[in-house]
């Protein structure tokens, strides 16, 4: 049987969560699982022992000299042979019966299939807000497949998980993850979306993303913030160069630029940091105001989403 799916998992110091994730993946001849350990404090042999009951799981170590999930995913991409790639983070998991929801698309001609995710708060066991933005992007396009909603989906859903990506998209366009600590997935998935000719929004949930104390996005770290600003600027310039004016407008990258400015204020980085970011925006001609935000309904909707998101993050900082 040909290998249909390669599941790629970067791992660092979460063996219990990793085990939960592996158990959520069915043992099938058409699925390979590639785990790349990012030099955990736990010895590699101990991780190998934990994964020993799952012979279909291949374990590698990040020996690239570049720490982070990006470098780890690149190692797995070099070894993956599946027709499709599924990414998962070691502290997340696939929902029960997810493979059945993939079946209708495995023989399709789509380049990317997006699935609405769900989420869980590891602290309370309840539902987190972490999936809401991505769920809305998928559902909006599925329910109203307009050019506007398609653009918002492709360039808004820029995380690697909860989507099937055809491996040839990576290989044909020489796409790899940035080997940096924060936002290492943004440019990679943005390029995948740009170079994909045909995409689909599915109606079934396959993936649960978790929110916990170890989530990188919940940790206040100035170095990570500066990296995210750099990635945002590179992404803005890439989209400005490659998209039409209409596509660029619907990608709403300017709203993300505004969001980073709000983050400077909310997280209390100070006036100097705010000025530094504004200088970078000016240097790279980054606009951070979307006239669409003047629409009261849009403003209230976006403000509510951001408020829920920030409150959720603050609980874990």
């Amino acid at each position: 049987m040909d290998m249909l799916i390669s599941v790629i998992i970067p791992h660092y110091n979460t063996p219990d969560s990793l085990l939960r994730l592996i158990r959520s993946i069915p043992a099938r001849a058409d699925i390979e699982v590639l785990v790349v350990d990012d030099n955990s404090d736990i010895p590699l042999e101990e991780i190998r022992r934990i994964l020993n009951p799952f012979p279909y799981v291949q374990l590698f170590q990040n020996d690239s000299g570049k720490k982070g999930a990006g470098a780890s995913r690149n190692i797995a991409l070099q070894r993956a042979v599946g027709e499709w790639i599924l990414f998962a983070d070691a502290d997340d998991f696939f929902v029960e019966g997810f493979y059945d929801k993939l079946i209708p698309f495995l023989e399709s001609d789509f380049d990317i299939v997006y699935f609405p995710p769900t989420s869980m708060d590891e602290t309370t066991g309840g539902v987190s807000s972490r999936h809401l933005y991505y769920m809305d992007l998928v559902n909006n396009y599925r329910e109203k497949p307009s050019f506007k909603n398609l653009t918002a989906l492709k360039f808004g859903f820029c995380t690697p998980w909860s989507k099937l990506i055809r491996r040839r998209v990576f290989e044909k366009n020489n796409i790899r993850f940035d080997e940096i600590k924060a936002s290492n997935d943004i440019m990679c998935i943005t390029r995948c979306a740009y170079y994909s000719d045909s995409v689909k929004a599915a109606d079934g949930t396959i993936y649960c993303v978790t929110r916990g104390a170890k989530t990188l996005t919940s940790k206040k770290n100035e170095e990570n913030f500066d990296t995210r600003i750099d990635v945002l600027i590179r992404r803005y310039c890439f989209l400005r160069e490659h998209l039409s004016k209409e596509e660029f407008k619907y990608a709403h990258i300017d709203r993300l630029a505004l969001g980073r400015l709000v983050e400077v204020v909310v997280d209390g980085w100070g006036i100097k940091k705010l000025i530094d970011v504004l200088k970078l925006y000016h240097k790279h001609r980054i606009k951070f105001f979307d006239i669409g935000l003047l629409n009261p309904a849009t403003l209230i909707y976006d403000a509510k989403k951001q408020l829920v998101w920030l409150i959720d993050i603050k609980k874990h900082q």
Side-chain angles (χ1 to χ4, degrees):
M1 180 181 292
D2 292 337
M3 192 63 68
L4 287 178
I5 300 172
S6 297
V7 183
I8 290 178
I9 306 167
H11 169 261
Y12 180 71
N13 278 355
T14 57
D16 292 340
S17 297
L18 175 62
L19 187 58
R20 177 182 64 185
L21 169 59
I22 297 299
R23 285 172 172 163
S24 73
I25 303 171
R28 294 181 52 93
D30 58 358
I31 298 178
E32 65 170 357
V33 181
L34 300 91
V35 176
V36 182
D37 184 68
D38 191 24
N39 298 290
S40 295
D41 299 328
I42 306 158
L44 190 67
E45 286 308 311
E46 175 63 17
I47 300 172
R48 196 180 306 280
R49 184 191 65 78
I50 292 171
L51 297 178
N52 190 56
F54 310 95
Y56 52 92
V57 177
Q58 305 173 54
L59 176 63
F60 305 96
Q61 189 167 39
N62 179 1
D63 56 2
S64 67
K66 299 288 185 67
K67 188 169 179 58
S72 298
R73 292 188 184 111
N74 286 342
I75 289 171
L77 275 174
Q78 291 174 352
R79 294 165 170 79
V81 297
E83 178 73 14
W84 296 90
I85 303 293
L86 268 181
F87 292 101
D89 290 343
D91 48 358
D92 299 335
F93 55 92
F94 292 99
V95 303
E96 185 176 357
F98 82 94
Y99 183 83
D100 292 337
K101 298 170 186 175
L102 304 181
I103 291 175
F105 308 105
L106 296 180
E107 301 299 327
S108 72
D109 292 327
F110 296 115
D111 291 317
I112 302 180
V113 182
Y114 297 86
F115 297 86
T118 186
S119 66
M120 184 180 75
D121 188 316
E122 293 276 28
T123 303
T124 66
V127 178
S128 165
S129 69
R130 199 174 173 198
H131 72 292
L132 297 177
Y133 172 72
Y134 308 104
M135 180 185 71
D136 286 347
L137 288 172
V138 178
N139 290 340
N140 287 344
Y141 177 61
R142 181 175 56 82
E143 295 166 5
K144 187 179 180 181
S146 64
F147 178 76
K148 177 181 179 180
N149 287 342
L150 171 62
T151 306
L153 171 62
K154 289 177 67 175
F155 301 109
F157 199 154
C158 53
T159 66
W161 36 258
S162 201
K163 54 175 69 79
L164 271 173
I165 306 178
R166 199 176 290 275
R167 185 165 60 89
R168 72 181 181 205
V169 174
F170 292 94
E171 304 307 321
K172 180 180 178 181
N173 302 288
N174 194 29
I175 298 172
R176 289 295 185 266
F177 289 84
D178 285 340
E179 296 187 343
I180 54 181
K181 188 172 182 181
S183 292
N184 51 69
D185 51 355
I186 301 296
M187 285 305 301
C188 174
I189 302 304
T190 296
R191 290 190 177 101
C192 284
Y194 174 74
Y195 288 110
S196 292
D197 296 322
S198 178
V199 306
K200 174 71 174 179
D203 61 357
T205 296
I206 66 169
Y207 191 81
C208 180
V209 58
T210 65
R211 169 82 73 194
K214 293 184 179 181
T215 302
L216 185 61
T217 51
S218 71
K219 296 180 180 179
K220 182 177 175 181
N221 180 296
E222 188 167 6
E223 182 180 356
N224 288 343
F225 177 80
D226 291 342
T227 299
R228 291 190 180 100
I229 289 292
D230 175 70
V231 171
L232 182 145
I233 291 172
R234 288 194 287 121
R235 181 169 177 239
Y236 188 106
C237 294
F238 175 86
L239 294 179
R240 182 175 59 198
E241 177 183 351
H242 290 83
L243 300 185
S244 68
K245 288 185 178 180
E246 187 178 22
E247 284 178 309
F248 188 77
K249 178 178 69 174
Y250 292 149
H252 295 310
I253 187 69
D254 39 12
R255 294 185 187 180
L256 294 177
L258 176 61
R260 291 302 182 206
L261 294 178
V262 172
E263 190 176 337
V264 172
V265 176
V266 171
D267 284 345
W269 292 117
I271 189 65
K272 182 180 182 302
K273 175 64 71 175
L274 182 63
I275 292 173
D276 287 344
V277 174
L278 287 171
K279 285 180 177 178
L280 285 171
Y281 282 3
H282 178 73
K283 177 181 177 180
H284 295 280
R285 297 183 293 117
I286 307 297
K287 297 180 180 180
F288 52 89
F289 179 74
D290 181 349
I291 195 169
L293 291 175
L294 294 179
N295 183 318
T298 301
L299 181 61
I300 293 171
Y301 177 73
D302 283 356
K304 286 174 63 178
K305 285 198 302 184
Q306 289 296 324
L307 181 60
V308 171
W309 181 279
L310 287 170
I311 291 173
D312 206 4
I313 289 177
K314 287 295 182 183
K315 289 192 301 183
H316 296 89
Q317 285 184 342

